[in-house]
Amino acid sequence: MPDTQIDAELSAEARSVLGRDDVSFTPLAHGQRIGVTSGVFRAQAGDARAVVKVVAPAADAGGKVWRGSHDPANYRFWEREALFYEAGQPQAYTDAGIALPGLLGAFRRGGGEISLWMQDVSGNGGAGWTVQRTEEHARQLGRAQGTCLVDDAWRKSAVPFSRNVLRDYLDTPDATSPDINWEMLENADAWDTPLMRTHFGGQLREDVLRLCRERYEFVSWGEALPHTLCHHDLWPNNVFEHDGRLVLVDWAFAGEGWVGGDIGNFVSDTALDLLRPSDELPALDEGVFRGYVQGLRDAGYDADERAVRLGMCVMAAKWTWLIPVMLTRATRDNHEVYGSQAVDADRLYAERANVFRMLVAWAAEARALAAELFPAAAQP
């Protein structure tokens, strides 16, 4: 539960938003190492419900490793999500049938924190969709981002959109885990632990090492592609169907990004935390790409499928940080996924190995596409 101070403030806000005093608060899973996020809660009083997210300036992350930023262009800018919800999403997304959770109230607190009271849209999340349904929603996203490619009205928003997200993400050693130590890539003993030897041995190890070493080259290819307005944290836990609409939550990283990047993030992040079995990835990859390209064309954007596919495939570089983390954690007894849920180590490493088989295949595809699209600079 929230601490005494936050609990008192939440209770006062609940009276304003829900008009009741008998409100209970349940903590919801979120990135526990994120300094910007003080807490995420479900507030409930009878049939009335809301989701509350409290964000803080986080000049001092208080022991958390994912520190916030006061740079409006940085993907970790602490105030972006509050400004996004207050301003409302750009019209291109609304016209494509994509919604934000309704903002029920926003409170700027004396200590600098901001609490966002939002409509609770939980229920039919992306992890439970069929491939066909996911393809349909990818088409909506393509339509929204295609409109942003055709018309740059979204750039006039008062929201300080992020820039250079993947490069900054990979540049920030503490952005994702205290266990990132790139020197582990060259540690033969770490690769020889039972979990790594069983699941990441042989050619997969060599292919993964190459991807890790070339990660910034992949970023440079993405940066050379056409840019649109991206969510930058699109994964099954941030997408829902609610009242017949596609709803995207958690716009904290929103900003400029390359075409195809969001769908690359969605597909690759579907099985890493065991939300869906990895054997569904080939069908999901095909369907999401097909739907997204069709959506771009629906919007009047003449998409070069090679560029879109490259934008999707270069997102393989995003997950390179997981390799040193898994090398570091392979000797531990306890293993967890997002939300601090304990899981079986063999299952986790086996599923992630299957994801990385897809990612190194994407990497090979990206190299070939880059050679076609950027022949003078394609080879790392």
Side-chain angles (χ1 to χ4, degrees):
M1 291 299 293
D3 63 32
T4 303
Q5 180 182 2
I6 293 178
D7 188 31
E9 290 180 292
L10 286 174
S11 296
E13 294 163 2
R15 286 191 292 272
S16 175
V17 175
L18 301 179
R20 299 183 56 162
D21 291 314
D22 57 334
V23 180
S24 62
F25 295 96
T26 304
L28 300 179
H30 65 281
Q32 294 296 323
R33 291 185 291 272
I34 301 176
V36 167
T37 304
S38 295
V40 183
F41 311 96
R42 174 169 289 112
Q44 186 161 3
D47 293 334
R49 301 202 315 181
V51 170
V52 190
K53 184 171 185 177
V54 183
V55 297
D60 177 357
K64 298 182 180 182
V65 300
W66 197 343
R67 297 174 179 85
S69 172
H70 291 269
D71 176 2
N74 190 282
Y75 76 100
R76 291 173 289 115
F77 176 55
W78 79 275
E79 200 175 358
R80 181 177 297 109
E81 188 166 17
L83 295 173
F84 192 94
Y85 279 107
E86 290 173 6
Q89 68 180 4
Q91 192 63 38
Y93 276 76
T94 303
D95 290 346
I98 299 172
L100 285 173
L103 183 64
L104 306 177
F107 300 86
R108 291 180 178 264
R109 299 174 172 177
E113 292 181 326
I114 302 172
S115 63
L116 300 171
W117 285 70
M118 296 167 285
Q119 177 187 25
D120 186 353
V121 297
S122 60
N124 188 13
W129 297 344
T130 64
V131 171
Q132 180 180 356
R133 180 66 72 189
T134 308
E135 179 178 339
E136 292 168 359
H137 290 321
R139 183 171 180 175
Q140 289 178 265
L141 181 70
R143 180 183 169 194
Q145 295 191 350
T147 299
C148 290
L149 284 160
V150 172
D151 181 356
D152 67 354
W154 61 275
R155 295 183 183 274
K156 300 178 178 65
S157 171
V159 179
F161 288 126
S162 61
R163 302 171 71 179
N164 305 317
V165 172
L166 186 53
R167 184 173 295 277
D168 283 350
Y169 183 86
L170 293 175
D171 277 349
T172 309
D174 59 4
T176 48
S177 170
D179 293 330
I180 297 176
N181 177 1
W182 292 102
E183 293 180 2
M184 292 294 290
L185 296 177
E186 311 304 328
N187 187 323
D189 290 338
W191 284 100
D192 199 39
T193 56
L195 282 173
M196 293 302 297
R197 185 174 62 249
T198 299
H199 301 295
F200 281 85
Q203 188 60 47
L204 180 59
R205 170 181 172 176
E206 298 307 312
D207 291 339
V208 164
L209 281 169
R210 182 182 179 187
L211 174 60
C212 289
R213 292 164 182 156
E214 297 176 359
R215 60 192 182 276
Y216 285 104
E217 191 72 18
F218 283 74
V219 175
S220 69
W221 295 335
E223 291 172 341
L225 295 172
H227 280 49
T228 184
L229 174 59
C230 293
H231 182 279
H232 284 309
D233 195 16
L234 201 70
W235 70 306
N237 280 4
N238 281 341
V239 296
F240 298 90
E241 289 179 336
H242 185 77
D243 290 341
R245 300 176 301 168
L246 171 61
V247 182
L248 305 187
V249 305
D250 197 358
W251 287 82
F253 300 160
E256 184 176 324
W258 54 77
V259 64
D262 270 347
I263 58 170
N265 194 92
F266 182 89
V267 173
S268 59
D269 204 9
T270 290
L272 287 170
D273 282 317
L274 310 184
L275 297 179
R276 294 176 71 156
S278 59
D279 59 11
E280 294 182 4
L281 289 178
L284 190 67
D285 181 3
E286 180 181 352
V288 166
F289 178 70
R290 180 171 56 240
Y292 182 76
V293 169
Q294 184 58 57
L296 292 172
R297 291 175 174 156
D298 291 343
Y301 179 71
D302 186 16
D304 181 339
E305 288 194 23
R306 298 174 303 166
V308 181
R309 185 64 183 173
L310 177 58
M312 187 176 185
C313 289
V314 296
M315 294 305 292
K318 178 177 181 178
W319 307 111
T320 52
W321 64 267
L322 259 179
I323 297 302
V325 169
M326 287 191 293
L327 286 165
T328 299
R329 296 179 181 176
T331 57
R332 297 182 185 177
D333 295 328
N334 300 317
H335 295 266
E336 298 177 344
V337 291
Y338 185 85
S340 301
Q341 179 182 353
V343 295
D344 175 76
D346 270 306
R347 180 186 173 214
L348 178 63
Y349 276 66
E351 285 294 277
R352 286 184 172 175
N354 285 338
V355 176
F356 271 93
R357 288 186 180 90
M358 180 190 76
L359 295 181
V360 298
W362 279 9
E365 196 173 348
R367 294 182 190 104
L369 288 167
E372 292 182 29
L373 295 170
F374 316 123
Q379 297 303 318

